[in-house]
Amino acid sequence: MVNRKLLLLLSCATVIRIGAVAQSDSPAPTSPGAQVRLGNTYLDQKDYSSAMIWFRKAAEKGNAAAQNNIAWLYENGFGVKQDYAEALNWFTQAANQGDADAENNLGWLYQKGWAVKQDYAQAMNWYRKAGDQGNTRAEENIGSLYEKGLGVKQDYLEAMAWYRKSADQGNTNAQVNVGWLYQNGWGTKQDYSQALTWYLGAANKGNPYAENDIGTLYEKGLGVKQDYAVAMAWYYRAATQGHAKAQDNIGRLYENGLGVEQDYAKAEDWYRKAADQGSAEAETNLGTLFLNGHGMKQDYSEALNWFRKAAEQNNSDAQNNIGWIYQNGLGVPQDKDEAMKWYGKAADQGNARAVANLLVLSQTPHATGTIVHVCSKGNTTDCATPPRPIFSPDPEYSKQASDAKYQGTCVLMLTIGTDGLPKNVRVIKSLGMGLDEKAVEVVQKWKFEPAMKDGQPIATQIAVEVDFHLK
């Protein structure tokens, strides 16, 4: 499974602009088009109340662009109290006149479940109406529904086709998504070079998602020579545009001393920037700094506070960490049942560490433990280097799963011996349809560099994910 939260890059509601005009002492406009243009002028000046006045004048005459713009103001709470029901009303009026932007925006409300029951089929219905008119944001949103399998059968080929339609019209978010499919080999042959090409096209137009993804390619050495300095440069470009994921990535580089001098204070600063934007990953990373006492006084209460913030957003790593805190009684009374509850939440999302913790805790009534720090630059004591796969062939599909076009991730528990060979391989998250057997069969062939502590190989128990995705 890709170790990254998938960026849907869906387009929120858009405001229709019919050419901004400068204000003057000329008579107040009376035609709907002119009234919308004047409203847009006020909109550019962030004078939302005045913009609303002129949009309403045009909307009273049935102007669809004005109706869409009124809805946009209500959706975002600009100049008025945020009101999704009012937004729904105005978007519907404009969409019923065949306005493509309003059709796309109405689909967005159905997808998010704002003022209506969440309904992906209805969202797709409105997106298609707009997409049939060549609306680039709707095309991107259709691609996203197919990529995620929301309201439709997951279909990467369809996702790629719709992303390409949007990308060919210059939509940089769609270009990023095309690159993402190439990076992962979804609906196409995996091709990091193609991914980089698409990311660069969007990044050269200032798209922060593309800049962040280019950084990831360089950080991990995917299709390019691994270069943390180049990765940092791209992350920084995205971070200065306020992209939370890039800010979190910079914090991680500083925390682990990757391409920079290890600096927990700088790591904390970047994590906080991202956390202030609600990044669950950054909230989790901040909690980890407090949990381990890296660059600050160890504070289990503060760690738990940050983990809870991230867990509220359903971040599985944070949920797993809360379980760990309760399992070991770190700043809270030791509570196995509470630990099991949080491990279960994370395990339900396929979090391999949580699955492993859940298994160990359920089999060992009084299990306790300590956190083993992974060695990094500047950290060479009381740490272990984890096992690293050096031979890991891909699994084969079972005929039954292939015929059914069935996809998913199987999680296995295994022990890596001091000789680097897997032992005692067992399924802890089943897929069925013959895929569990295929996963065990292939993992038994894997070879690892064993975990090392104090210069000596040690046996370790790990959980691994085996992905089964059709291309």
Side-chain angles (χ1 to χ4, degrees), residues 3 29 44-45 99 102 105 110 117 127-128 148 156 202 236 239-240 256 265 322 334 338 355 360 365 379 461 467 469:
N3 189 22
D44 289 336
Q45 298 168 358
D99 185 274
N105 295 338
Y110 276 105
K117 182 179 179 181
Y127 289 153
R128 284 194 178 276
K148 295 293 291 180
Y156 293 126
Y236 192 80
T240 53
N256 295 290
I322 293 174
Q334 195 172 41
E338 190 70 6
V355 172
V360 171
N379 178 23
Q461 188 177 66
D467 283 331
H469 286 294

Side-chain angles (χ1 to χ4, degrees), residues 55-136:
F55 291 150
R56 283 192 181 277
K57 290 180 181 292
E60 289 170 359
K61 300 172 184 176
N63 184 279
Q67 293 166 346
N68 178 79
N69 289 1
I70 291 172
W72 183 81
L73 291 173
Y74 274 113
E75 181 186 354
N76 293 281
F78 291 152
V80 291
K81 183 179 179 181
Q82 190 175 50
D83 189 328
Y84 293 128
E86 274 294 299
L88 176 69
N89 171 48
W90 287 103
F91 279 144
T92 300
Q93 290 186 53
N96 286 339
Q97 295 189 64
D99 185 274
D101 284 292
E103 290 167 343
N104 174 68
N105 295 338
L106 190 55
W108 181 254
L109 293 187
Y110 276 105
Q111 179 170 343
K112 301 299 289 186
W114 292 342
V116 290
K117 182 179 179 181
Q118 190 174 49
D119 189 330
Y120 296 122
Q122 273 283 47
M124 178 66 88
N125 175 55
W126 286 107
Y127 289 153
R128 284 194 178 276
K129 288 179 183 290
D132 288 343
Q133 297 188 61
N135 184 281
T136 179

